[in-house]
Amino acid sequence: MNRWKTILGGTLLTMLLSGLVVEAAAAPHYQAQLVQFHRPVVVEANEIITGDVVSFFSTVTIKGHVEGDVVGVFSQVVVEGGAVEGDTVAVFAPLSLH
């Protein structure tokens, strides 16, 4: 009888912890600001940038939410289903809003 209690308790604990991990993965990821040089910038759908996103000589893809501005200098800027509350500017590169 004690063995079954241990197995049942371990199973319930595993299920509970698995649910917490899934819940944590679904929560949005916040970041203050994002600045990159020569590296692609991607704001994923579950990300929220509370500041600005700036890129030099690369690409910017916004699928999530940016509360500040998005600036690309010699960087293509693509807003793909995401949202930008501030200004969106691409200097010497294309800007695409989908």
Side-chain angles (χ1 to χ4, degrees):
M1 185 73 162
N2 238 358
R3 180 174 177 219
W4 287 108
K5 286 182 181 179
T6 303
I7 291 172
L8 181 60
T11 303
L12 290 175
L13 182 62
T14 302
M15 290 171 54
L16 175 66
L17 292 176
S18 296
L20 291 176
V21 170
V22 169
E23 182 66 30
H29 172 72
Y30 289 88
Q31 188 169 339
Q33 62 184 356
L34 191 54
V35 178
Q36 291 290 339
F37 294 86
H38 295 286
R39 294 179 64 188
V41 175
V42 179
V43 177
E44 295 294 343
N46 66 335
E47 286 186 287
I48 298 173
I49 307 297
T50 58
D52 300 326
V53 174
V54 180
S55 174
F56 297 92
F57 305 104
S58 191
T59 60
V60 179
T61 305
I62 307 295
K63 298 177 182 178
H65 188 87
V66 178
E67 294 178 355
D69 300 329
V70 175
V71 179
V73 180
F74 292 104
S75 297
Q76 177 182 7
V77 176
V78 178
V79 180
E80 255 181 34
V84 179
E85 289 185 22
D87 296 326
T88 305
V89 178
V91 181
F92 303 116
L95 170 64
S96 301
L97 305 173
H98 298 280

